[in-house]
Short mmCIF file of all heavy atoms in Angstrom, two decimals:
data_model
loop_
_atom_site.label_atom_id
_atom_site.label_comp_id
_atom_site.label_asym_id
_atom_site.label_seq_id
_atom_site.Cartn_x
_atom_site.Cartn_y
_atom_site.Cartn_z
N MET Z 1 31.10 86.80 165.31
CA MET Z 1 29.84 85.97 165.52
C MET Z 1 28.86 86.69 166.35
O MET Z 1 29.13 87.20 167.45
CB MET Z 1 30.19 84.61 166.01
CG MET Z 1 28.94 83.71 166.23
SD MET Z 1 29.43 82.09 166.87
CE MET Z 1 30.38 81.41 165.55
N ILE Z 2 27.57 86.68 165.94
CA ILE Z 2 26.62 87.37 166.75
C ILE Z 2 25.80 86.23 167.56
O ILE Z 2 25.36 85.35 166.97
CB ILE Z 2 25.52 88.02 165.76
CG1 ILE Z 2 26.19 89.08 164.88
CG2 ILE Z 2 24.47 88.67 166.62
CD1 ILE Z 2 25.39 89.66 163.81
N ASP Z 3 25.91 86.44 168.85
CA ASP Z 3 25.33 85.43 169.74
C ASP Z 3 23.76 85.72 170.01
O ASP Z 3 23.13 84.87 170.36
CB ASP Z 3 26.10 85.38 170.99
CG ASP Z 3 27.40 84.89 170.76
OD1 ASP Z 3 27.62 83.80 170.05
OD2 ASP Z 3 28.46 85.49 171.21
N GLU Z 4 23.46 86.97 170.01
CA GLU Z 4 22.08 87.34 170.22
C GLU Z 4 21.66 88.51 169.33
O GLU Z 4 22.52 89.28 168.86
CB GLU Z 4 21.92 87.95 171.65
CG GLU Z 4 22.18 86.85 172.75
CD GLU Z 4 21.71 87.44 174.14
OE1 GLU Z 4 21.04 88.43 174.18
OE2 GLU Z 4 22.04 86.67 175.16
N ILE Z 5 20.47 88.45 168.97
CA ILE Z 5 19.86 89.57 168.14
C ILE Z 5 19.06 90.46 169.04
O ILE Z 5 18.23 89.87 169.82
CB ILE Z 5 19.07 89.08 167.02
CG1 ILE Z 5 19.97 88.14 166.07
CG2 ILE Z 5 18.38 90.09 166.08
CD1 ILE Z 5 21.12 88.93 165.39
N ALA Z 6 19.22 91.77 168.97
CA ALA Z 6 18.42 92.56 169.79
C ALA Z 6 16.91 92.43 169.48
O ALA Z 6 16.48 92.47 168.27
CB ALA Z 6 18.89 94.03 169.64
N ALA Z 7 16.05 92.42 170.48
CA ALA Z 7 14.71 92.32 170.29
C ALA Z 7 14.11 93.59 169.74
O ALA Z 7 13.19 93.57 168.94
CB ALA Z 7 13.97 91.97 171.64
N GLU Z 8 14.73 94.77 170.21
CA GLU Z 8 14.34 96.03 169.68
C GLU Z 8 15.62 96.74 169.26
O GLU Z 8 16.56 96.75 169.97
CB GLU Z 8 13.59 96.82 170.76
CG GLU Z 8 12.27 96.17 171.29
CD GLU Z 8 11.61 97.07 172.27
OE1 GLU Z 8 12.01 98.23 172.46
OE2 GLU Z 8 10.65 96.59 172.88
N THR Z 9 15.53 97.27 168.07
CA THR Z 9 16.73 98.05 167.62
C THR Z 9 16.69 99.44 168.10
O THR Z 9 15.66 100.03 168.41
CB THR Z 9 16.75 97.99 166.09
OG1 THR Z 9 15.61 98.63 165.62
CG2 THR Z 9 16.93 96.57 165.51
N GLY Z 10 17.89 100.08 168.28
CA GLY Z 10 17.98 101.41 168.63
C GLY Z 10 19.33 101.89 168.32
O GLY Z 10 20.14 101.16 167.78
N PRO Z 11 19.64 103.10 168.66
CA PRO Z 11 20.88 103.74 168.40
C PRO Z 11 22.04 103.32 169.23
O PRO Z 11 23.19 103.66 168.95
CB PRO Z 11 20.61 105.22 168.41
CG PRO Z 11 19.52 105.32 169.54
CD PRO Z 11 18.74 104.03 169.32
N GLY Z 12 21.78 102.69 170.35
CA GLY Z 12 22.76 102.28 171.38
C GLY Z 12 22.84 100.82 171.58
O GLY Z 12 22.04 100.02 171.11
N CYS Z 13 23.65 100.49 172.58
CA CYS Z 13 23.89 99.06 172.91
C CYS Z 13 22.55 98.47 173.62
O CYS Z 13 22.02 99.15 174.51
CB CYS Z 13 25.04 98.97 173.96
SG CYS Z 13 25.30 97.36 174.66
N PRO Z 14 22.04 97.44 173.09
CA PRO Z 14 20.83 96.81 173.65
C PRO Z 14 21.14 96.33 175.13
O PRO Z 14 20.12 96.24 175.85
CB PRO Z 14 20.61 95.55 172.75
CG PRO Z 14 21.34 95.91 171.47
CD PRO Z 14 22.60 96.66 171.94
N ALA Z 15 22.28 96.08 175.48
CA ALA Z 15 22.55 95.53 176.77
C ALA Z 15 22.65 96.67 177.89
O ALA Z 15 22.18 96.50 179.00
CB ALA Z 15 23.84 94.75 176.79
N CYS Z 16 23.27 97.74 177.51
CA CYS Z 16 23.51 98.87 178.49
C CYS Z 16 23.11 100.18 178.04
O CYS Z 16 23.09 101.10 178.88
CB CYS Z 16 25.01 98.79 178.85
SG CYS Z 16 26.17 99.46 177.61
N GLY Z 17 22.76 100.37 176.76
CA GLY Z 17 22.19 101.59 176.32
C GLY Z 17 23.14 102.60 175.87
O GLY Z 17 22.86 103.62 175.37
N ARG Z 18 24.51 102.36 176.08
CA ARG Z 18 25.44 103.32 175.68
C ARG Z 18 25.69 103.14 174.15
O ARG Z 18 25.56 102.12 173.64
CB ARG Z 18 26.83 103.04 176.42
CG ARG Z 18 26.81 103.43 177.87
CD ARG Z 18 28.05 103.16 178.53
NE ARG Z 18 28.19 101.81 178.89
CZ ARG Z 18 29.14 101.33 179.61
NH1 ARG Z 18 30.17 102.08 180.01
NH2 ARG Z 18 29.21 99.97 179.80
N ALA Z 19 26.18 104.24 173.57
CA ALA Z 19 26.63 104.26 172.21
C ALA Z 19 27.97 103.60 172.07
O ALA Z 19 28.83 103.94 172.86
CB ALA Z 19 26.62 105.63 171.64
N GLY Z 20 28.12 102.80 171.08
CA GLY Z 20 29.48 102.21 170.87
C GLY Z 20 30.43 103.09 170.09
O GLY Z 20 29.99 104.10 169.50
N VAL Z 21 31.70 102.73 170.06
CA VAL Z 21 32.63 103.57 169.30
C VAL Z 21 32.83 102.75 168.03
O VAL Z 21 33.25 101.60 167.94
CB VAL Z 21 33.94 103.63 170.04
CG1 VAL Z 21 35.03 104.31 169.18
CG2 VAL Z 21 33.82 104.35 171.27
N THR Z 22 32.46 103.39 166.88
CA THR Z 22 32.52 102.70 165.55
C THR Z 22 33.98 102.34 165.23
O THR Z 22 34.82 103.14 165.30
CB THR Z 22 31.92 103.62 164.44
OG1 THR Z 22 30.57 103.97 164.90
CG2 THR Z 22 31.95 102.92 163.17
N ALA Z 23 34.08 101.11 164.86
CA ALA Z 23 35.46 100.49 164.57
C ALA Z 23 35.53 100.44 163.04
O ALA Z 23 36.71 100.68 162.52
CB ALA Z 23 35.67 99.25 165.23
N SER Z 24 34.47 100.01 162.38
CA SER Z 24 34.57 99.91 160.93
C SER Z 24 33.17 99.99 160.30
O SER Z 24 32.18 99.65 160.96
CB SER Z 24 35.24 98.62 160.53
OG SER Z 24 34.51 97.49 160.92
N THR Z 25 33.12 100.40 159.11
CA THR Z 25 31.79 100.40 158.33
C THR Z 25 32.10 99.94 156.95
O THR Z 25 33.21 100.00 156.43
CB THR Z 25 31.21 101.78 158.32
OG1 THR Z 25 32.08 102.70 157.68
CG2 THR Z 25 30.90 102.31 159.71
N HIS Z 26 31.06 99.37 156.33
CA HIS Z 26 31.10 99.05 154.91
C HIS Z 26 29.70 99.12 154.35
O HIS Z 26 28.74 98.91 155.09
CB HIS Z 26 31.85 97.81 154.62
CG HIS Z 26 31.06 96.49 155.19
ND1 HIS Z 26 31.24 96.06 156.41
CD2 HIS Z 26 30.16 95.85 154.59
CE1 HIS Z 26 30.46 95.04 156.58
NE2 HIS Z 26 29.71 94.82 155.52
N GLY Z 27 29.61 99.44 153.06
CA GLY Z 27 28.29 99.50 152.44
C GLY Z 27 27.78 98.12 152.12
O GLY Z 27 28.50 97.11 151.85
N SER Z 28 26.48 98.02 152.12
CA SER Z 28 25.73 96.82 151.68
C SER Z 28 24.54 97.26 150.96
O SER Z 28 24.14 98.43 150.86
CB SER Z 28 25.41 95.90 152.91
OG SER Z 28 24.22 96.40 153.55
N ALA Z 29 23.82 96.26 150.34
CA ALA Z 29 22.61 96.50 149.64
C ALA Z 29 21.49 97.11 150.55
O ALA Z 29 20.60 97.91 150.06
CB ALA Z 29 22.08 95.31 148.95
N GLU Z 30 21.60 96.82 151.88
CA GLU Z 30 20.56 97.24 152.83
C GLU Z 30 20.88 98.62 153.48
O GLU Z 30 20.17 99.07 154.25
CB GLU Z 30 20.33 96.25 153.84
CG GLU Z 30 19.71 94.93 153.23
CD GLU Z 30 19.48 93.76 154.26
OE1 GLU Z 30 19.14 94.25 155.41
OE2 GLU Z 30 19.59 92.72 153.98
N GLY Z 31 22.20 99.06 153.29
CA GLY Z 31 22.53 100.30 153.94
C GLY Z 31 23.99 100.05 154.47
O GLY Z 31 24.59 99.02 154.25
N THR Z 32 24.45 101.13 155.18
CA THR Z 32 25.78 100.97 155.72
C THR Z 32 25.84 100.09 157.00
O THR Z 32 25.04 100.33 157.90
CB THR Z 32 26.37 102.39 156.17
OG1 THR Z 32 26.28 103.21 154.95
CG2 THR Z 32 27.70 102.32 156.66
N VAL Z 33 26.68 99.10 156.99
CA VAL Z 33 26.78 98.21 158.13
C VAL Z 33 28.08 98.62 158.82
O VAL Z 33 29.09 98.84 158.25
CB VAL Z 33 26.87 96.71 157.65
CG1 VAL Z 33 27.14 95.80 158.85
CG2 VAL Z 33 25.71 96.34 156.85
N GLY Z 34 27.98 98.77 160.10
CA GLY Z 34 29.15 99.11 160.94
C GLY Z 34 29.25 98.27 162.15
O GLY Z 34 28.34 97.53 162.55
N TYR Z 35 30.48 98.24 162.64
CA TYR Z 35 30.71 97.39 163.90
C TYR Z 35 31.28 98.47 164.91
O TYR Z 35 32.22 99.22 164.61
CB TYR Z 35 31.74 96.33 163.61
CG TYR Z 35 31.25 95.40 162.59
CD1 TYR Z 35 31.42 95.52 161.30
CD2 TYR Z 35 30.42 94.34 162.94
CE1 TYR Z 35 30.92 94.65 160.27
CE2 TYR Z 35 29.86 93.40 162.07
CZ TYR Z 35 30.12 93.64 160.72
OH TYR Z 35 29.65 92.71 159.84
N ALA Z 36 30.71 98.45 166.11
CA ALA Z 36 31.08 99.31 167.11
C ALA Z 36 31.38 98.63 168.38
O ALA Z 36 30.69 97.66 168.74
CB ALA Z 36 30.01 100.42 167.29
N ARG Z 37 32.49 99.13 169.12
CA ARG Z 37 32.76 98.48 170.42
C ARG Z 37 32.20 99.32 171.47
O ARG Z 37 32.38 100.50 171.63
CB ARG Z 37 34.30 98.54 170.46
CG ARG Z 37 34.85 97.86 171.77
CD ARG Z 37 34.77 96.44 171.66
NE ARG Z 37 35.62 95.75 172.61
CZ ARG Z 37 35.63 94.45 172.84
NH1 ARG Z 37 34.80 93.61 172.23
NH2 ARG Z 37 36.51 93.96 173.70
N CYS Z 38 31.35 98.59 172.27
CA CYS Z 38 30.67 99.27 173.42
C CYS Z 38 31.54 99.35 174.62
O CYS Z 38 32.42 98.45 174.70
CB CYS Z 38 29.42 98.53 173.68
SG CYS Z 38 28.43 99.40 175.01
N GLY Z 39 31.28 100.32 175.52
CA GLY Z 39 31.97 100.36 176.77
C GLY Z 39 31.82 99.13 177.65
O GLY Z 39 32.68 98.91 178.57
N CYS Z 40 30.83 98.42 177.42
CA CYS Z 40 30.56 97.15 178.20
C CYS Z 40 31.34 95.94 177.69
O CYS Z 40 31.20 94.88 178.25
CB CYS Z 40 29.07 96.92 178.43
SG CYS Z 40 28.28 96.32 176.87
N GLY Z 41 31.98 96.16 176.62
CA GLY Z 41 32.81 95.03 176.00
C GLY Z 41 32.14 94.38 174.89
O GLY Z 41 32.83 93.52 174.26
N ARG Z 42 30.89 94.67 174.59
CA ARG Z 42 30.31 93.97 173.43
C ARG Z 42 30.56 94.67 172.20
O ARG Z 42 30.80 95.89 172.13
CB ARG Z 42 28.75 93.91 173.70
CG ARG Z 42 28.30 92.98 174.85
CD ARG Z 42 26.83 93.13 175.07
NE ARG Z 42 26.39 92.06 175.97
CZ ARG Z 42 26.48 92.13 177.30
NH1 ARG Z 42 26.95 93.21 177.81
NH2 ARG Z 42 26.06 91.16 178.04
N TRP Z 43 30.47 93.84 171.12
CA TRP Z 43 30.51 94.45 169.73
C TRP Z 43 29.09 94.61 169.24
O TRP Z 43 28.29 93.69 169.35
CB TRP Z 43 31.35 93.56 168.81
CG TRP Z 43 32.80 93.59 169.00
CD1 TRP Z 43 33.57 92.70 169.68
CD2 TRP Z 43 33.68 94.58 168.35
NE1 TRP Z 43 34.85 93.12 169.59
CE2 TRP Z 43 35.03 94.29 168.88
CE3 TRP Z 43 33.44 95.68 167.56
CZ2 TRP Z 43 36.11 95.01 168.46
CZ3 TRP Z 43 34.55 96.51 167.22
CH2 TRP Z 43 35.86 96.16 167.67
N LEU Z 44 28.85 95.78 168.74
CA LEU Z 44 27.46 96.10 168.22
C LEU Z 44 27.53 95.98 166.71
O LEU Z 44 28.44 96.50 166.13
CB LEU Z 44 27.03 97.43 168.64
CG LEU Z 44 27.12 97.82 170.16
CD1 LEU Z 44 26.71 99.20 170.37
CD2 LEU Z 44 26.39 96.84 171.02
N VAL Z 45 26.49 95.46 166.12
CA VAL Z 45 26.31 95.42 164.69
C VAL Z 45 25.28 96.50 164.37
O VAL Z 45 24.15 96.42 164.80
CB VAL Z 45 25.96 94.06 164.18
CG1 VAL Z 45 25.80 94.10 162.63
CG2 VAL Z 45 26.87 92.90 164.70
N VAL Z 46 25.68 97.51 163.55
CA VAL Z 46 24.86 98.62 163.31
C VAL Z 46 24.52 98.62 161.78
O VAL Z 46 25.39 98.58 161.00
CB VAL Z 46 25.49 99.89 163.71
CG1 VAL Z 46 24.52 101.07 163.46
CG2 VAL Z 46 26.02 99.84 165.14
N LEU Z 47 23.18 98.67 161.53
CA LEU Z 47 22.79 98.76 160.04
C LEU Z 47 22.04 100.08 159.91
O LEU Z 47 20.97 100.24 160.62
CB LEU Z 47 21.94 97.62 159.73
CG LEU Z 47 21.28 97.65 158.34
CD1 LEU Z 47 22.41 97.70 157.25
CD2 LEU Z 47 20.38 96.46 158.08
N ALA Z 48 22.47 100.90 159.10
CA ALA Z 48 21.79 102.17 158.80
C ALA Z 48 21.51 102.93 160.05
O ALA Z 48 20.41 103.55 160.25
CB ALA Z 48 20.63 102.04 157.95
N GLY Z 49 22.47 102.92 161.03
CA GLY Z 49 22.20 103.78 162.26
C GLY Z 49 21.47 103.05 163.35
O GLY Z 49 21.32 103.66 164.41
N ARG Z 50 21.12 101.81 163.12
CA ARG Z 50 20.34 101.09 164.12
C ARG Z 50 21.15 99.87 164.55
O ARG Z 50 21.65 99.18 163.70
CB ARG Z 50 19.00 100.72 163.57
CG ARG Z 50 18.17 101.80 162.92
CD ARG Z 50 17.58 102.74 163.96
NE ARG Z 50 16.54 102.09 164.76
CZ ARG Z 50 15.87 102.79 165.77
NH1 ARG Z 50 16.15 104.05 165.96
NH2 ARG Z 50 14.93 102.24 166.37
N VAL Z 51 21.17 99.61 165.81
CA VAL Z 51 21.74 98.37 166.29
C VAL Z 51 20.91 97.19 166.07
O VAL Z 51 19.73 97.11 166.48
CB VAL Z 51 22.14 98.46 167.78
CG1 VAL Z 51 22.76 97.21 168.35
CG2 VAL Z 51 23.06 99.66 168.05
N ILE Z 52 21.40 96.25 165.27
CA ILE Z 52 20.58 95.10 164.92
C ILE Z 52 21.12 93.79 165.54
O ILE Z 52 20.49 92.72 165.51
CB ILE Z 52 20.55 94.91 163.35
CG1 ILE Z 52 21.96 94.69 162.79
CG2 ILE Z 52 19.83 96.12 162.69
CD1 ILE Z 52 21.96 94.17 161.38
N GLY Z 53 22.18 93.88 166.16
CA GLY Z 53 22.74 92.70 166.95
C GLY Z 53 23.99 93.09 167.74
O GLY Z 53 24.50 94.20 167.64
N PHE Z 54 24.36 92.11 168.57
CA PHE Z 54 25.53 92.33 169.42
C PHE Z 54 26.03 90.98 169.82
O PHE Z 54 25.38 90.03 169.94
CB PHE Z 54 25.18 93.27 170.64
CG PHE Z 54 24.29 92.60 171.58
CD1 PHE Z 54 24.76 92.01 172.76
CD2 PHE Z 54 22.90 92.74 171.38
CE1 PHE Z 54 23.83 91.48 173.61
CE2 PHE Z 54 21.98 92.22 172.31
CZ PHE Z 54 22.50 91.53 173.43
N THR Z 55 27.43 91.04 170.15
CA THR Z 55 27.94 89.79 170.66
C THR Z 55 27.89 89.89 172.26
O THR Z 55 27.68 90.92 172.82
CB THR Z 55 29.45 89.75 170.22
OG1 THR Z 55 30.17 90.74 170.98
CG2 THR Z 55 29.59 89.94 168.79
N MET Z 56 28.25 88.74 172.78
CA MET Z 56 28.24 88.65 174.27
C MET Z 56 29.52 89.06 174.73
O MET Z 56 29.80 89.14 175.96
CB MET Z 56 27.84 87.23 174.76
CG MET Z 56 26.43 86.89 174.44
SD MET Z 56 25.14 88.08 175.15
CE MET Z 56 25.44 87.82 176.92
N GLY Z 57 30.45 89.30 173.82
CA GLY Z 57 31.81 89.83 174.09
C GLY Z 57 32.38 89.54 175.47
O GLY Z 57 33.25 90.15 175.98
ZN1 ZN D 101 27.04 98.00 176.12
#
């Protein structure tokens, strides 16, 4: 579940700026969607290389 949507998308965690470790990816009509675990404990939702959301983990 996504609790917050990043106001600005970027390649790293919106909360701490670190890049997450990709856990899984799958294709969608809008591009490759991935889920990455950040070092701060949050899950990042990545679409086509951009973080579009994260959990409060
Ligand atoms: Zn983080």
Side-chain angles (χ1 to χ4, degrees):
M1 178 179 293
I2 301 170
D3 295 314
E4 292 190 13
I5 300 296
E8 297 182 11
T9 60
C13 175
C16 71
R18 285 179 285 186
V21 178
T22 301
S24 66
T25 60
H26 66 270
S28 78
E30 297 180 31
T32 301
V33 178
Y35 298 92
R37 183 72 161 173
C38 183
C40 71
R42 291 175 169 82
W43 283 97
L44 311 178
V45 182
V46 184
L47 173 62
R50 309 288 290 181
V51 175
I52 60 169
F54 64 98
T55 71
M56 293 305 293

